[in-house]
Amino acid sequence: LSSLSTRSLAADLQHKIDQKTKPAGALGHLETIALQLGMLQNTLAPYIRNPQMVIFAADHGIAATGLVNPFPQAVTAQMVQNFVAGGAAINVFCRQMGMGLTVVDVGVASDFDPILPIVHAKVAYGTANYQHGPALTAAQVTAAMQAGAGIVQNLHAQGCNTIGFGEMGIGNTSSAALLMSALLNIPLADCVGAGTGAHGEKLLQKIHVLEAVARAKQSAYGTPPDAMHVLEQIGGLEIAALVGAYRQAANFGMAILIDGFICTAALLVAHAQQPDILLACFFAHQSSEHAHGRMLQALGATPLLQLGLRLGEGTGAALALPILQAACAFVNEMASFESAAISGQTPA
Amino acid sequence: LSSLSTRSLAADLQHKIDQKTKPAGALGHLETIALQLGMLQNTLAPYIRNPQMVIFAADHGIAATGLVNPFPQAVTAQMVQNFVAGGAAINVFCRQMGMGLTVVDVGVASDFDPILPIVHAKVAYGTANYQHGPALTAAQVTAAMQAGAGIVQNLHAQGCNTIGFGEMGIGNTSSAALLMSALLNIPLADCVGAGTGAHGEKLLQKIHVLEAVARAKQSAYGTPPDAMHVLEQIGGLEIAALVGAYRQAANFGMAILIDGFICTAALLVAHAQQPDILLACFFAHQSSEHAHGRMLQALGATPLLQLGLRLGEGTGAALALPILQAACAFVNEMASFESAAISGQTPA
């Protein structure tokens, strides 16, 4: 689009929204969503087609130590089995919302039966423990990003224009906190939260361990920190896959539903590489995970839901889909003042 | 339920929720909704059946003066026609959410063709202008409350267990503000908002007019103000119908989706009569209407959505339905740690 036709489309969308039978602006954020979707799809009639959810699962070397995670590392693989069996929260919400669900093993630390209905794209058996060196090689990051992009290509080819992402990886709130601290230059203690359940002394231990990691990594990150170098240093493979998937989805002009703390941390990497990726992003919810609000603020993002969720798996993204659908529905289906013969607003 | 079995059901519900394959509390407000719904329905398996939306429409005598409302009074009747034609925002959202929609004329200031598919329950051709005397007689309030209750009885008989309400009435943010000020003892200027579009001088005029009304009504309200006397003094018929409908729905143990500023003001009246009505109420959203937040706070209510809506019609209530459905779905469909063979959480 030329900038002239971009301006014209924005004005035409706003005019269409303002002619609907409601006071100007009365549908609040639904109006800004409709505008953003229309611009993204280059249409006056935005729509959601074949919405999909993708979960990337991978393990983290540090989780085997138990230093940062109250659940054992084996839970990552167990939860993948739970996704396959249809018993996890994200299964329930995808069924409710009519979203397809793809589960991707991009780096779980154990083998799955090849006949399981998951995408087998394992890059490694988890990351290396970043306490003792880089979590990932540059080649591993690239491979995981390509795996993520490939999934999006397939779903786009199936007509999907709206995609939510989730993650599963015991220990990955620690990687997300390290990413946030490095890329937003925020003290680590303000980036570390309870994750799936670290409290009290366990939480202090998590902060202590991660602060030591951050200090040791500083020179490897570069000055200012380079997003890809940070990703190599602290992982993980599911986060790298998200980065590749986000970038591919944005390049296709798909609407991306950004989930919680870990998914937003992955967006920080993609955003460092491609700032206009935000045009494709819809921030599904504000997690109750400590620090997610500050991360959203740094991105200038307004979350659609604030339900106190802190589960991951893409659950917030699935729950926000009806809001995007409502934004499309009002633009496409509501009568205008003229068509409904409603008296217009008198000048204030 | 005896208080023993009530305690036991609450504990059993909480146990069921805590056994789901997620960290304890990780589904945030969805967990408290599931608990509330289970208690309301007296079951470990809460469910939404045949969800319905009801809009009560009525006019306000003061609106004919144009002193408090930027849209002309005729818009109330025009919007009822829009509801019938399916072109209003609430039509769109009810279709999306699979909710039935009933439109009730409980006091519109003009006649509708009797063949229109609305409930014809007109109590009066709008309220009297409350600048010059009571808006309603006690008999009119009772008639409107009975009309509201009757609608709920019919829908309950059709198997509906979850009901949202909306309203349409040019000028009714003024009645809501007067109700709020009187029943919560909050200065009127803090209760008056822009409504459908009063800004600047128009807003100052609205506050000025309503402050004079509130002063003149003080002795008629009683000390402390009696909710029914306030309702008689400042109306309106759609608000009285909401009060009757809420009380009937709560008595049936139905889940009530409370919409925005006007619907919450009506709940203040019902709550004054029957404080435990809150057990049945789910607060759908926080309106961008000035003062709704403070009203919710006075009720100890946590809104499900904060989308900047200020349209009424029940639009926020319809948009919140999927959240209640998600709360039921996770309780009924998610696997437990035991059934999914997931390693439990280690002690923190």
PDB file of all heavy atoms in Angstrom, chain A residues 290-315:
ATOM      1  N   HIS A 290       4.091 -11.578  37.680  1.00  0.00           N
ATOM      2  CA  HIS A 290       4.836 -10.370  38.008  1.00  0.00           C
ATOM      3  C   HIS A 290       5.607  -9.918  36.765  1.00  0.00           C
ATOM      4  O   HIS A 290       6.260 -10.700  36.117  1.00  0.00           O
ATOM      5  CB  HIS A 290       5.819 -10.731  39.133  1.00  0.00           C
ATOM      6  CG  HIS A 290       6.645  -9.595  39.616  1.00  0.00           C
ATOM      7  ND1 HIS A 290       6.143  -8.597  40.413  1.00  0.00           N
ATOM      8  CD2 HIS A 290       7.944  -9.296  39.418  1.00  0.00           C
ATOM      9  CE1 HIS A 290       7.105  -7.742  40.693  1.00  0.00           C
ATOM     10  NE2 HIS A 290       8.217  -8.137  40.098  1.00  0.00           N
ATOM     11  N   ALA A 291       5.505  -8.681  36.406  1.00  0.00           N
ATOM     12  CA  ALA A 291       6.338  -8.079  35.360  1.00  0.00           C
ATOM     13  C   ALA A 291       5.716  -8.106  33.970  1.00  0.00           C
ATOM     14  O   ALA A 291       6.181  -7.394  33.083  1.00  0.00           O
ATOM     15  CB  ALA A 291       7.732  -8.701  35.297  1.00  0.00           C
ATOM     16  N   HIS A 292       4.648  -8.920  33.759  1.00  0.00           N
ATOM     17  CA  HIS A 292       4.066  -8.914  32.417  1.00  0.00           C
ATOM     18  C   HIS A 292       3.482  -7.546  32.075  1.00  0.00           C
ATOM     19  O   HIS A 292       3.593  -7.068  30.938  1.00  0.00           O
ATOM     20  CB  HIS A 292       2.985  -9.998  32.283  1.00  0.00           C
ATOM     21  CG  HIS A 292       2.504 -10.179  30.873  1.00  0.00           C
ATOM     22  ND1 HIS A 292       1.185 -10.405  30.558  1.00  0.00           N
ATOM     23  CD2 HIS A 292       3.165 -10.154  29.695  1.00  0.00           C
ATOM     24  CE1 HIS A 292       1.060 -10.519  29.245  1.00  0.00           C
ATOM     25  NE2 HIS A 292       2.249 -10.383  28.697  1.00  0.00           N
ATOM     26  N   GLY A 293       2.876  -6.910  33.067  1.00  0.00           N
ATOM     27  CA  GLY A 293       2.310  -5.585  32.834  1.00  0.00           C
ATOM     28  C   GLY A 293       3.363  -4.595  32.363  1.00  0.00           C
ATOM     29  O   GLY A 293       3.136  -3.812  31.432  1.00  0.00           O
ATOM     30  N   ARG A 294       4.522  -4.668  32.975  1.00  0.00           N
ATOM     31  CA  ARG A 294       5.593  -3.740  32.599  1.00  0.00           C
ATOM     32  C   ARG A 294       6.116  -4.025  31.187  1.00  0.00           C
ATOM     33  O   ARG A 294       6.489  -3.110  30.447  1.00  0.00           O
ATOM     34  CB  ARG A 294       6.725  -3.870  33.628  1.00  0.00           C
ATOM     35  CG  ARG A 294       7.713  -2.737  33.559  1.00  0.00           C
ATOM     36  CD  ARG A 294       8.431  -2.552  34.861  1.00  0.00           C
ATOM     37  NE  ARG A 294       9.495  -1.555  34.711  1.00  0.00           N
ATOM     38  CZ  ARG A 294      10.392  -1.309  35.655  1.00  0.00           C
ATOM     39  NH1 ARG A 294      10.352  -1.953  36.799  1.00  0.00           N
ATOM     40  NH2 ARG A 294      11.334  -0.406  35.452  1.00  0.00           N
ATOM     41  N   MET A 295       6.133  -5.302  30.839  1.00  0.00           N
ATOM     42  CA  MET A 295       6.555  -5.690  29.487  1.00  0.00           C
ATOM     43  C   MET A 295       5.565  -5.148  28.443  1.00  0.00           C
ATOM     44  O   MET A 295       5.963  -4.604  27.400  1.00  0.00           O
ATOM     45  CB  MET A 295       6.576  -7.222  29.436  1.00  0.00           C
ATOM     46  CG  MET A 295       7.562  -7.842  28.488  1.00  0.00           C
ATOM     47  SD  MET A 295       7.231  -9.631  28.434  1.00  0.00           S
ATOM     48  CE  MET A 295       8.566 -10.263  29.405  1.00  0.00           C
ATOM     49  N   LEU A 296       4.273  -5.282  28.741  1.00  0.00           N
ATOM     50  CA  LEU A 296       3.245  -4.768  27.828  1.00  0.00           C
ATOM     51  C   LEU A 296       3.373  -3.253  27.687  1.00  0.00           C
ATOM     52  O   LEU A 296       3.260  -2.701  26.582  1.00  0.00           O
ATOM     53  CB  LEU A 296       1.851  -5.130  28.346  1.00  0.00           C
ATOM     54  CG  LEU A 296       1.483  -6.611  28.301  1.00  0.00           C
ATOM     55  CD1 LEU A 296       0.137  -6.847  29.003  1.00  0.00           C
ATOM     56  CD2 LEU A 296       1.425  -7.119  26.860  1.00  0.00           C
ATOM     57  N   GLN A 297       3.630  -2.605  28.809  1.00  0.00           N
ATOM     58  CA  GLN A 297       3.786  -1.154  28.797  1.00  0.00           C
ATOM     59  C   GLN A 297       4.938  -0.749  27.880  1.00  0.00           C
ATOM     60  O   GLN A 297       4.820   0.193  27.096  1.00  0.00           O
ATOM     61  CB  GLN A 297       4.059  -0.697  30.223  1.00  0.00           C
ATOM     62  CG  GLN A 297       3.699   0.747  30.510  1.00  0.00           C
ATOM     63  CD  GLN A 297       3.880   1.060  31.990  1.00  0.00           C
ATOM     64  OE1 GLN A 297       4.473   0.277  32.744  1.00  0.00           O
ATOM     65  NE2 GLN A 297       3.370   2.203  32.416  1.00  0.00           N
ATOM     66  N   ALA A 298       6.054  -1.478  27.967  1.00  0.00           N
ATOM     67  CA  ALA A 298       7.219  -1.161  27.134  1.00  0.00           C
ATOM     68  C   ALA A 298       6.893  -1.285  25.650  1.00  0.00           C
ATOM     69  O   ALA A 298       7.473  -0.606  24.810  1.00  0.00           O
ATOM     70  CB  ALA A 298       8.383  -2.077  27.497  1.00  0.00           C
ATOM     71  N   LEU A 299       5.934  -2.157  25.322  1.00  0.00           N
ATOM     72  CA  LEU A 299       5.530  -2.338  23.930  1.00  0.00           C
ATOM     73  C   LEU A 299       4.370  -1.416  23.547  1.00  0.00           C
ATOM     74  O   LEU A 299       3.896  -1.448  22.417  1.00  0.00           O
ATOM     75  CB  LEU A 299       5.122  -3.801  23.692  1.00  0.00           C
ATOM     76  CG  LEU A 299       6.271  -4.821  23.700  1.00  0.00           C
ATOM     77  CD1 LEU A 299       5.731  -6.240  23.851  1.00  0.00           C
ATOM     78  CD2 LEU A 299       7.095  -4.692  22.413  1.00  0.00           C
ATOM     79  N   GLY A 300       3.901  -0.618  24.494  1.00  0.00           N
ATOM     80  CA  GLY A 300       2.755   0.257  24.225  1.00  0.00           C
ATOM     81  C   GLY A 300       1.485  -0.535  23.989  1.00  0.00           C
ATOM     82  O   GLY A 300       0.588  -0.092  23.266  1.00  0.00           O
ATOM     83  N   ALA A 301       1.382  -1.696  24.609  1.00  0.00           N
ATOM     84  CA  ALA A 301       0.283  -2.622  24.322  1.00  0.00           C
ATOM     85  C   ALA A 301      -0.848  -2.490  25.338  1.00  0.00           C
ATOM     86  O   ALA A 301      -0.603  -2.343  26.532  1.00  0.00           O
ATOM     87  CB  ALA A 301       0.804  -4.052  24.348  1.00  0.00           C
ATOM     88  N   THR A 302      -2.085  -2.567  24.853  1.00  0.00           N
ATOM     89  CA  THR A 302      -3.267  -2.606  25.715  1.00  0.00           C
ATOM     90  C   THR A 302      -3.806  -4.027  25.711  1.00  0.00           C
ATOM     91  O   THR A 302      -4.253  -4.513  24.675  1.00  0.00           O
ATOM     92  CB  THR A 302      -4.357  -1.657  25.180  1.00  0.00           C
ATOM     93  OG1 THR A 302      -3.813  -0.356  25.052  1.00  0.00           O
ATOM     94  CG2 THR A 302      -5.559  -1.624  26.123  1.00  0.00           C
ATOM     95  N   PRO A 303      -3.770  -4.718  26.842  1.00  0.00           N
ATOM     96  CA  PRO A 303      -4.268  -6.103  26.841  1.00  0.00           C
ATOM     97  C   PRO A 303      -5.791  -6.151  26.738  1.00  0.00           C
ATOM     98  O   PRO A 303      -6.491  -5.289  27.266  1.00  0.00           O
ATOM     99  CB  PRO A 303      -3.801  -6.635  28.201  1.00  0.00           C
ATOM    100  CG  PRO A 303      -3.694  -5.429  29.067  1.00  0.00           C
ATOM    101  CD  PRO A 303      -3.300  -4.286  28.164  1.00  0.00           C
ATOM    102  N   LEU A 304      -6.296  -7.164  26.027  1.00  0.00           N
ATOM    103  CA  LEU A 304      -7.748  -7.283  25.847  1.00  0.00           C
ATOM    104  C   LEU A 304      -8.429  -7.819  27.096  1.00  0.00           C
ATOM    105  O   LEU A 304      -9.542  -7.423  27.409  1.00  0.00           O
ATOM    106  CB  LEU A 304      -8.052  -8.208  24.657  1.00  0.00           C
ATOM    107  CG  LEU A 304      -7.542  -7.707  23.305  1.00  0.00           C
ATOM    108  CD1 LEU A 304      -7.811  -8.735  22.211  1.00  0.00           C
ATOM    109  CD2 LEU A 304      -8.212  -6.382  22.959  1.00  0.00           C
ATOM    110  N   LEU A 305      -7.788  -8.729  27.792  1.00  0.00           N
ATOM    111  CA  LEU A 305      -8.379  -9.350  28.981  1.00  0.00           C
ATOM    112  C   LEU A 305      -7.446  -9.162  30.173  1.00  0.00           C
ATOM    113  O   LEU A 305      -6.225  -9.137  30.012  1.00  0.00           O
ATOM    114  CB  LEU A 305      -8.592 -10.857  28.763  1.00  0.00           C
ATOM    115  CG  LEU A 305      -9.556 -11.282  27.666  1.00  0.00           C
ATOM    116  CD1 LEU A 305      -9.480 -12.786  27.448  1.00  0.00           C
ATOM    117  CD2 LEU A 305     -10.982 -10.878  28.024  1.00  0.00           C
ATOM    118  N   GLN A 306      -8.059  -9.073  31.347  1.00  0.00           N
ATOM    119  CA  GLN A 306      -7.265  -9.054  32.585  1.00  0.00           C
ATOM    120  C   GLN A 306      -7.952  -9.996  33.550  1.00  0.00           C
ATOM    121  O   GLN A 306      -8.710  -9.558  34.406  1.00  0.00           O
ATOM    122  CB  GLN A 306      -7.194  -7.638  33.151  1.00  0.00           C
ATOM    123  CG  GLN A 306      -6.542  -6.665  32.180  1.00  0.00           C
ATOM    124  CD  GLN A 306      -6.246  -5.315  32.799  1.00  0.00           C
ATOM    125  OE1 GLN A 306      -5.806  -5.228  33.921  1.00  0.00           O
ATOM    126  NE2 GLN A 306      -6.498  -4.265  32.042  1.00  0.00           N
ATOM    127  N   LEU A 307      -7.724 -11.269  33.370  1.00  0.00           N
ATOM    128  CA  LEU A 307      -8.448 -12.289  34.132  1.00  0.00           C
ATOM    129  C   LEU A 307      -7.573 -12.974  35.170  1.00  0.00           C
ATOM    130  O   LEU A 307      -7.971 -13.982  35.744  1.00  0.00           O
ATOM    131  CB  LEU A 307      -9.041 -13.338  33.171  1.00  0.00           C
ATOM    132  CG  LEU A 307     -10.186 -12.853  32.281  1.00  0.00           C
ATOM    133  CD1 LEU A 307     -10.538 -13.905  31.233  1.00  0.00           C
ATOM    134  CD2 LEU A 307     -11.413 -12.506  33.112  1.00  0.00           C
ATOM    135  N   GLY A 308      -6.375 -12.427  35.405  1.00  0.00           N
ATOM    136  CA  GLY A 308      -5.522 -13.012  36.428  1.00  0.00           C
ATOM    137  C   GLY A 308      -4.986 -14.382  36.045  1.00  0.00           C
ATOM    138  O   GLY A 308      -4.650 -15.188  36.909  1.00  0.00           O
ATOM    139  N   LEU A 309      -4.876 -14.655  34.734  1.00  0.00           N
ATOM    140  CA  LEU A 309      -4.348 -15.944  34.275  1.00  0.00           C
ATOM    141  C   LEU A 309      -2.828 -15.974  34.443  1.00  0.00           C
ATOM    142  O   LEU A 309      -2.163 -14.956  34.292  1.00  0.00           O
ATOM    143  CB  LEU A 309      -4.672 -16.163  32.789  1.00  0.00           C
ATOM    144  CG  LEU A 309      -6.121 -16.024  32.350  1.00  0.00           C
ATOM    145  CD1 LEU A 309      -6.211 -16.139  30.820  1.00  0.00           C
ATOM    146  CD2 LEU A 309      -6.989 -17.095  32.994  1.00  0.00           C
ATOM    147  N   ARG A 310      -2.279 -17.157  34.718  1.00  0.00           N
ATOM    148  CA  ARG A 310      -0.814 -17.336  34.660  1.00  0.00           C
ATOM    149  C   ARG A 310      -0.509 -18.801  34.361  1.00  0.00           C
ATOM    150  O   ARG A 310       0.195 -19.471  35.082  1.00  0.00           O
ATOM    151  CB  ARG A 310      -0.124 -16.875  35.953  1.00  0.00           C
ATOM    152  CG  ARG A 310      -0.701 -17.463  37.210  1.00  0.00           C
ATOM    153  CD  ARG A 310       0.067 -17.005  38.450  1.00  0.00           C
ATOM    154  NE  ARG A 310      -0.609 -17.491  39.627  1.00  0.00           N
ATOM    155  CZ  ARG A 310      -0.533 -18.741  40.093  1.00  0.00           C
ATOM    156  NH1 ARG A 310       0.222 -19.629  39.487  1.00  0.00           N
ATOM    157  NH2 ARG A 310      -1.214 -19.103  41.153  1.00  0.00           N
ATOM    158  N   LEU A 311      -1.077 -19.266  33.251  1.00  0.00           N
ATOM    159  CA  LEU A 311      -0.962 -20.674  32.894  1.00  0.00           C
ATOM    160  C   LEU A 311      -0.117 -20.887  31.651  1.00  0.00           C
ATOM    161  O   LEU A 311       0.518 -21.924  31.487  1.00  0.00           O
ATOM    162  CB  LEU A 311      -2.373 -21.258  32.686  1.00  0.00           C
ATOM    163  CG  LEU A 311      -2.455 -22.727  32.303  1.00  0.00           C
ATOM    164  CD1 LEU A 311      -1.652 -23.580  33.285  1.00  0.00           C
ATOM    165  CD2 LEU A 311      -3.893 -23.190  32.273  1.00  0.00           C
ATOM    166  N   GLY A 312      -0.091 -19.904  30.743  1.00  0.00           N
ATOM    167  CA  GLY A 312       0.575 -20.163  29.474  1.00  0.00           C
ATOM    168  C   GLY A 312      -0.258 -21.069  28.604  1.00  0.00           C
ATOM    169  O   GLY A 312      -1.492 -21.039  28.681  1.00  0.00           O
ATOM    170  N   GLU A 313       0.402 -21.884  27.762  1.00  0.00           N
ATOM    171  CA  GLU A 313      -0.268 -22.804  26.833  1.00  0.00           C
ATOM    172  C   GLU A 313      -1.034 -22.067  25.734  1.00  0.00           C
ATOM    173  O   GLU A 313      -1.662 -22.708  24.893  1.00  0.00           O
ATOM    174  CB  GLU A 313      -1.284 -23.720  27.544  1.00  0.00           C
ATOM    175  CG  GLU A 313      -0.725 -24.596  28.631  1.00  0.00           C
ATOM    176  CD  GLU A 313      -1.817 -25.456  29.294  1.00  0.00           C
ATOM    177  OE1 GLU A 313      -2.960 -25.454  28.816  1.00  0.00           O
ATOM    178  OE2 GLU A 313      -1.500 -26.120  30.297  1.00  0.00           O
ATOM    179  N   GLY A 314      -1.060 -20.740  25.766  1.00  0.00           N
ATOM    180  CA  GLY A 314      -1.890 -19.984  24.832  1.00  0.00           C
ATOM    181  C   GLY A 314      -3.304 -19.768  25.334  1.00  0.00           C
ATOM    182  O   GLY A 314      -4.171 -19.296  24.590  1.00  0.00           O
ATOM    183  N   THR A 315      -3.553 -20.073  26.607  1.00  0.00           N
ATOM    184  CA  THR A 315      -4.925 -20.001  27.116  1.00  0.00           C
ATOM    185  C   THR A 315      -5.518 -18.593  27.005  1.00  0.00           C
ATOM    186  O   THR A 315      -6.677 -18.435  26.621  1.00  0.00           O
ATOM    187  CB  THR A 315      -5.001 -20.474  28.583  1.00  0.00           C
ATOM    188  OG1 THR A 315      -3.931 -19.878  29.330  1.00  0.00           O
ATOM    189  CG2 THR A 315      -4.868 -21.980  28.673  1.00  0.00           C
TER     190      THR A 315
END
